[in-house]
Amino acid sequence: MKMVDAKLPHARIIDGKAFAAGLQKRVAAGVAELVASGAPKPGLATVLVGADAASQVYVRSKGKLAAELGMANFDHRLPAETTEAALLALIATLNADPAINGILVQLPLPRHIDTAHVLLAIDPAKDVDGFHPINVGRLGSIGAGAPLDFPVPCTPLGVSMLLQDALGSLAGLNAVVIGRSNLVGRPVAQLLLRLDCTVTITHSRTRDLPGLCRQADIVVVAIGKQEFLRGDWIKPGAAVIDVGINRIPADGGKTRLVGDAAFAEILPVAGHLTPVPGGVGPMTVACLMFNTLQAARRKAGLAVVSA
Ligand code: GUN
């Protein structure tokens, strides 16, 4: 008789949804503790320019979760034709407002607005996305194991939390990061370097990517290409973190989300694997809440809690 699939070894699925729910609980407890100590509620300002449908969904879910965790949410919706000067003026007001600890300007912005100008205008202490050049520079020059006492981009922070939870110490592990974006690839690489991984950042011009991946104990893929990472690129037992979110057509005229990894091929080979949806995705918004609490704690003169 053939062995049933359930008996074959396969990767442990990393449950990002469950981990994010636990993180949210810890953030809610941290907010309650801060407020009980006499500090004001942590405040998160969300800014959306234009009416992009996906961005509207993201911003709404961020504001809703902030309120659920006991924070104040200041929701700013601006028309698509808003000038850069008007947006910069709003950011200056939010920077000066003591009720606001975190400012999130949803990206992408309309083309007539220079994103670099906008990110530079946000007070680095309130930059809960970790996109301000000061915070990018802090992450780029952080020492091994040094505390993250400044805001760090949310999705990369979520990736590093999931990996530490699954594997414990990452010291000495070979990590291959596929994708060199400012949003994910580069900050993920910096965070893994801080955790003493040997990190290779790869991109569209990399030679022999499958060969590099086969030497990796950790593969993080973030390029936005469905089923790019194949099963025969993976070293048996490696941890695979799929940051891709690709919307593809499904039955009945609907759509569904898939990642950048060929899930069914990798499942029997890897040691750990994140699903899409339910892997890295839920960590992004949970880490935004974590960053907002950390900003409020710093403002109250309290130590940050470790990530
Ligand atoms: N758009 C897509 N991802 C993000 C994010 O993490 N932060 C912001 N501000 N905009 C985004």
Side-chain angles (χ1 to χ4, degrees), residues 292-304:
T292 307
L293 171 63
Q294 299 284 57
R297 285 183 64 88
R298 276 191 289 271
K299 184 161 178 241
L302 299 168
V304 292

Side-chain angles (χ1 to χ4, degrees), residues 2-296:
K2 250 179 93 180
M3 267 229 310
V4 290
D5 279 351
K7 293 218 175 117
L8 292 172
H10 68 74
R12 280 205 215 145
I13 303 290
I14 295 179
D15 188 345
K17 203 170 157 192
F19 191 93
L23 178 59
Q24 286 169 21
K25 265 195 172 171
R26 296 200 295 280
V27 170
V31 169
E33 183 198 339
L34 189 63
V35 172
S37 77
K41 273 185 180 189
L44 173 66
T46 44
V47 180
L48 175 61
V49 185
D52 178 73
S55 292
Q56 281 177 333
V57 173
Y58 289 138
V59 167
R60 195 178 316 124
S61 71
K62 289 166 185 174
K64 190 165 157 267
L65 183 59
E68 280 170 22
L69 303 187
M71 304 190 196
N73 177 229
F74 304 87
D75 186 23
H76 293 269
R77 306 287 171 111
L78 306 177
E81 58 276 12
T82 300
T83 62
E84 184 177 305
L87 179 56
L88 293 177
L90 171 62
I91 290 171
T93 310
L94 301 175
N95 282 343
D97 185 342
I100 290 172
N101 302 104
I103 301 171
L104 178 131
V105 179
Q106 185 67 25
L107 303 179
L109 288 165
R111 290 171 62 97
H112 66 275
I113 297 179
D114 187 330
T115 303
H117 290 170
V118 172
L119 298 181
L120 195 58
I122 296 171
D123 177 348
K126 298 189 179 187
D127 169 37
V128 281
D129 260 326
F131 293 162
H132 189 287
I134 292 242
N135 290 323
V136 174
R138 286 172 170 156
L139 184 59
S141 56
I142 196 166
L148 291 172
D149 49 7
F150 53 89
V152 171
C154 301
T155 302
L157 182 59
V159 168
S160 74
M161 286 182 184
L162 291 180
L163 279 170
Q164 285 180 281
D165 184 57
L167 303 179
S169 169
L170 308 186
L173 298 183
N174 286 336
V176 165
V177 179
I178 307 177
R180 54 179 153 181
S181 74
N182 292 334
L183 240 68
V184 183
R186 286 172 206 242
V188 162
Q190 300 291 3
L191 286 171
L192 295 181
L193 197 55
R194 169 182 171 268
L195 295 172
D196 297 314
C197 290
T198 303
V199 183
T200 306
I201 306 179
T202 69
H203 46 78
S204 55
R205 307 299 294 271
T206 294
R207 292 189 192 156
D208 191 19
L209 181 58
L212 285 171
C213 288
R214 284 184 199 112
Q215 296 175 36
D217 305 298
I218 295 169
V219 180
V220 180
V221 61
I223 53 164
K225 283 191 184 157
Q226 176 196 346
E227 302 213 317
F228 178 82
L229 183 68
R230 311 305 313 193
D232 64 355
W233 299 12
I234 303 302
K235 181 164 95 170
V240 176
I241 306 292
D242 187 351
V243 189
I245 301 181
N246 307 296
R247 193 168 282 284
I248 63 163
D251 293 342
K254 296 186 178 162
T255 62
R256 65 187 181 97
L257 293 183
V258 297
D260 292 347
F263 186 87
E265 280 181 24
I266 294 173
L267 192 62
V269 187
H272 294 85
L273 175 60
T274 59
V276 176
V280 174
M283 291 301 294
T284 300
V285 60
C287 286
L288 175 69
M289 302 301 131
F290 177 80
N291 278 349
T292 307
L293 171 63
Q294 299 284 57

